């Protein structure tokens, strides 16, 4: 999926998650590509997202609601095709859901503020990071605020 130039800046009031009318509003606010990932739990193709190789300082925010999620100093190069982080800004910024949809156990990561799908959490892969965790996050789920760290 390619990034859209029509990106929600987070300044609009975020629809309330979980209601049919909220889903219709999300479709009005997000591009079809953003909606497919953020609201329907899709995944963008590897190595195509705008933040895969980004090293700029700042705060990675939820593209849907603008909540601060991952500081850039927790981003690392995992060579997996998606932006990788070893920790969120704070544990209350994300929520976790057990995901066995592909015949394996994974942990889905969602924005705690608006319940948008971010990606998945993997542990014990041996990366040289403080947590040995890899938050594998879709670029299309994020926006980088370079003034926000």
């Amino acid at each position: 999926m390619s990034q859209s130039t029509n990106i929600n800046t987070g300044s609009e009031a975020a629809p309330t998650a979980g209601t049919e009318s909220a889903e219709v509003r999300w479709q009005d606010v997000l591009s079809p590509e953003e909606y497919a990932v953020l609201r329907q739990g899709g995944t963008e193709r590897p190595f195509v997202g705008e933040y895969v190789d980004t090293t700029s300082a700042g705060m990675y925010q939820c593209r849907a609601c603008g909540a601060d999620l991952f500081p850039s100093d927790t981003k690392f190069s995992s060579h997996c095709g998606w932006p990788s982080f070893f920790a969120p800004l704070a544990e209350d910024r994300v929520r976790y859901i057990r995901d066995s949809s592909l015949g394996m156990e994974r942990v889905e990561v969602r924005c705690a503020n608006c319940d948008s799908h971010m990606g998945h959490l993997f542990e014990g892969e041996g990366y040289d990071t403080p947590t040995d965790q890899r938050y594998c996050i879709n670029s299309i789920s994020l926006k980088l605020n370079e003034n926000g760290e």
Side-chain angles (χ1 to χ4, degrees), residues 114-136:
C114 71
D115 201 40
S116 287
H117 172 75
M118 296 287 117
H120 287 86
L121 170 62
F122 301 94
E123 297 183 274
E125 296 178 313
Y127 287 103
D128 186 21
T129 62
T131 63
D132 198 20
Q133 294 180 320
R134 176 172 58 96
Y135 288 78
C136 183

Side-chain angles (χ1 to χ4, degrees), residues 1 3 33-34 36-38 41-46 48-52 60-63 69-70 80-85 108-109 116-120 135-143:
M1 277 181 208
Q3 286 293 115
E33 295 87 2
E34 292 166 345
V37 174
L38 288 157
T43 302
E44 67 187 341
R45 290 175 304 157
V48 300
E50 70 179 298
Y51 299 125
V52 173
Y60 287 89
Q61 300 171 323
C62 174
R63 189 172 300 258
L69 299 177
F70 296 95
C80 71
W82 294 274
S84 297
F85 303 86
E108 180 183 3
V109 178
S116 287
H117 172 75
M118 296 287 117
H120 287 86
Y135 288 78
C136 183
I137 306 298
N138 292 286
S139 282
I140 201 167
S141 296
L142 300 169
K143 66 179 176 191

Side-chain angles (χ1 to χ4, degrees), residues 15-28 35 39:
T16 305
T19 65
E20 186 175 322
S21 62
E23 290 307 311
V24 171
R25 287 196 55 218
W26 280 122
Q27 288 175 319
D28 292 341
Y35 185 84
R39 304 309 305 165

